[in-house]
Amino acid sequence: MRFRLPLLGLSCLFLFAMSVTAVSAEDQLFELRTYVTNEGKLENLHTRFRDHTVGLFAKHGMKNLIYWVPVDGEGADNTLVYIISHEDKEAAQASWKGFREDAEWQKVAAESEKDGKILSARPDAVYMTATDFSPQNFESAEEPRLFELRKYTTAEGRLPALLQRFRDGELKLFEKQGMTNIAYFVPVDMPNTLIYVVAHKDADAMKKSWDGFRADEEWQQLWEKSTKDGKIVIKVESQVLRPVDYSPTK
């Protein structure tokens, strides 16, 4: 799928640039959103975001961080996944209220759906806070990468042990095997859950990194130490994603 980046007005370019500046994890509220479109409507959604939505988000105080589509699988032809950030909960509420009430957005939304609804269901939104070890590495590489969005569900009360394991060395071991740590989050309303993002050069590099990580004796020792009081992770979910052309982070 190819995307064409249109010319933007100076004001929109300024707002977009402001939205991609480095963010501090402290006191920030992050939002992971997933949109599923009706059949054949994904390109319409991309056009709306590319031409209007990212600029309007910035106008209303949201920070655009990263936008993806799944590489393959069920959502490859109908899903957009992205992360934005807000100063705090109150700012998030104010930003969304301003966005939805914005006359420009209302006009854009109506015009974009004159041939039918774009989304098949209401967007899924997860509010998150960054962990104390999250690098917040929302910077682009020279070449677009593959990203993994990973969600770990722990046994009851075992999230602190998982977070400690990442602090004790799991991030460093990821880097040792060639992965790039992007960000680590704890969802606000999902107990016993860690959500994080890592990046890889490509699919072959991703496989090589995970194979090397699992075989690493240092990792095996860290895992054994962390699980001496019982199992920590009971479920792992992973999405492989690629950034779209209008994503600030690639």
Side-chain angles (χ1 to χ4, degrees), residues 123-192:
D124 178 71
V126 178
Y127 284 104
M128 312 178 294
T129 58
T131 66
D132 58 0
F133 52 81
S134 179
Q136 302 308 102
N137 186 20
F138 290 104
E139 297 180 359
S140 286
E142 293 183 1
E143 297 291 337
R145 299 165 289 178
L146 284 184
F147 293 79
E148 274 189 283
L149 178 65
R150 296 175 68 87
K151 175 183 173 184
Y152 290 5
T153 303
T154 73
E156 186 70 28
R158 297 289 279 158
L159 180 60
L162 178 63
L163 299 182
Q164 190 60 52
R165 189 168 77 194
F166 274 89
R167 286 190 201 96
D168 287 347
E170 195 156 343
L171 269 73
K172 291 180 180 179
L173 290 171
F174 284 174
E175 292 174 355
K176 176 183 175 182
Q177 298 299 333
M179 306 184 208
T180 300
N181 294 297
I182 304 297
Y184 290 76
F185 306 104
V186 174
V188 173
D189 297 319
M190 298 168 65
N192 305 311

Side-chain angles (χ1 to χ4, degrees), residues 23-54:
V23 296
S24 169
E26 186 176 359
D27 298 326
Q28 291 280 323
L29 182 68
F30 296 84
E31 189 172 359
L32 170 65
R33 295 177 67 87
T34 302
Y35 291 12
V36 178
T37 71
N38 285 310
E39 185 176 356
K41 292 290 187 178
L42 182 59
E43 184 56 36
N44 298 75
L45 182 63
H46 286 313
T47 298
R48 190 165 75 186
F49 268 87
R50 186 187 299 115
D51 293 356
H52 305 285
T53 308
V54 292

Side-chain angles (χ1 to χ4, degrees), residues 9-224:
L10 289 177
S11 61
C12 191
L13 278 172
F14 174 76
L15 288 168
F16 188 81
M18 290 295 290
S19 76
V20 303
T21 54
V23 296
S24 169
E26 186 176 359
D27 298 326
Q28 291 280 323
L29 182 68
F30 296 84
E31 189 172 359
L32 170 65
R33 295 177 67 87
T34 302
Y35 291 12
V36 178
T37 71
N38 285 310
E39 185 176 356
K41 292 290 187 178
L42 182 59
E43 184 56 36
N44 298 75
L45 182 63
H46 286 313
T47 298
R48 190 165 75 186
F49 268 87
R50 186 187 299 115
D51 293 356
H52 305 285
T53 308
V54 292
L56 287 169
F57 280 179
K59 173 183 176 181
H60 290 284
M62 308 183 209
K63 292 179 180 175
N64 298 291
L65 296 177
I66 191 163
Y67 288 80
W68 302 292
V69 289
V71 170
D72 51 29
E74 184 177 342
D77 296 326
N78 67 356
T79 302
L80 173 68
V81 182
Y82 66 92
I83 298 176
I84 56 177
S85 72
H86 314 272
E87 289 185 3
D88 52 34
K89 182 179 180 180
E90 290 71 26
Q93 293 173 340
S95 291
W96 280 114
K97 183 176 186 296
F99 172 78
R100 294 187 181 106
E101 294 177 356
D102 191 305
E104 183 181 353
W105 163 246
Q106 293 173 359
K107 179 181 178 181
V108 165
E111 289 181 352
S112 68
E113 297 193 329
K114 62 185 179 182
D115 295 323
K117 282 280 188 181
I118 292 179
L119 299 185
S120 63
R122 186 174 180 176
D124 178 71
V126 178
Y127 284 104
M128 312 178 294
T129 58
T131 66
D132 58 0
F133 52 81
S134 179
Q136 302 308 102
N137 186 20
F138 290 104
E139 297 180 359
S140 286
E142 293 183 1
E143 297 291 337
R145 299 165 289 178
L146 284 184
F147 293 79
E148 274 189 283
L149 178 65
R150 296 175 68 87
K151 175 183 173 184
Y152 290 5
T153 303
T154 73
E156 186 70 28
R158 297 289 279 158
L159 180 60
L162 178 63
L163 299 182
Q164 190 60 52
R165 189 168 77 194
F166 274 89
R167 286 190 201 96
D168 287 347
E170 195 156 343
L171 269 73
K172 291 180 180 179
L173 290 171
F174 284 174
E175 292 174 355
K176 176 183 175 182
Q177 298 299 333
M179 306 184 208
T180 300
N181 294 297
I182 304 297
Y184 290 76
F185 306 104
V186 174
V188 173
D189 297 319
M190 298 168 65
N192 305 311
T193 303
L194 172 69
I195 293 175
Y196 69 91
V197 182
V198 292
H200 311 272
K201 180 181 178 181
D202 52 33
D204 289 340
M206 178 173 65
K207 182 180 185 305
K208 182 179 179 181
S209 291
W210 282 115
D211 287 347
F213 173 77
R214 295 184 183 104
D216 192 306
E217 291 185 4
E218 191 175 351
W219 156 244
Q220 294 169 3
Q221 291 170 4
L222 181 62
W223 181 86
E224 289 177 4

